[in-house]
């Protein structure tokens, strides 16, 4: 399998599991407050991921990682946690069909930040796709 198809398969699987996450979380939040539910979900996800790493034989001692990796991963963890808190609060009070498209506006923000901070330059077709995605998210979320 070449590199291109490999990343695409993982990205498509990520989208499938993200969709499942939204539906399963909405059902799980029915009688629970959003923040503690997000916390418990995160703990369970961490345990599951640890099991995947152990069973795949990919464990590495993180104490051997450099300080820069720890800093960037730590900042990423804080951003993820804040995203999950906001997402669960939105799911608690909004419909999944509205919350999920607005959440996916993060795609456009990611491309913008990748352009500003990583030097990744979207071409005209990618820019057109982003505009269509933004418009589609708005049409879906704001009925």
């Amino acid at each position: 399998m070449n590199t291109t198809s490999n990343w695409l398969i993982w990205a498509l699987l990520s989208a499938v599991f993200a969709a499942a996450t939204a539906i399963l979380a909405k059902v799980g939040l029915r009688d629970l407050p959003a923040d503690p539910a997000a916390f418990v979900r995160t703990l369970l996800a961490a345990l599951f991921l640890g099991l995947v790493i152990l069973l795949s034989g990919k464990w590495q001692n993180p104490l051997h990682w450099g300080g820069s990796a720890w800093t960037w991963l730590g900042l990423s963890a804080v951003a993820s946690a804040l995203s999950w808190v906001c997402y669960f609060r939105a799911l608690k009070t909004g419909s999944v069909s509205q919350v999920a498209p607005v959440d996916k506006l993060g795609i456009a923000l990611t491309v913008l930040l990748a352009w500003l901070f990583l030097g990744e330059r979207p071409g005209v077709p990618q820019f057109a796709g982003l505009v269509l995605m933004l418009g589609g998210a708005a049409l879906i979320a704001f009925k």
Side-chain angles (χ1 to χ4, degrees), residues 1 6 19 21 30 40 51 59 65 72 77 96 105 118 125 128 130 138:
M1 181 180 308
N6 200 15
T21 298
R30 280 192 182 140
V40 169
L51 181 63
W59 173 253
W65 298 349
W72 291 111
V96 174
L105 292 176
L118 302 177
L130 284 173

Side-chain angles (χ1 to χ4, degrees), residues 3-39:
T3 322
T4 303
S5 61
N6 200 15
W7 74 258
L8 184 57
I9 289 168
W10 289 114
L12 290 170
L13 286 170
S14 175
V16 168
F17 290 122
T21 298
I23 301 303
L24 296 169
K26 181 67 176 181
V27 174
L29 281 169
R30 280 192 182 140
D31 300 319
L32 300 174
D35 294 346
F39 175 71

Side-chain angles (χ1 to χ4, degrees), residues 66-87:
S68 176
W70 275 96
T71 299
W72 291 111
L73 290 173
L75 291 170
S76 175
V78 170
S80 290
L82 291 171
S83 174
W84 294 338
V85 165
C86 296
Y87 190 71

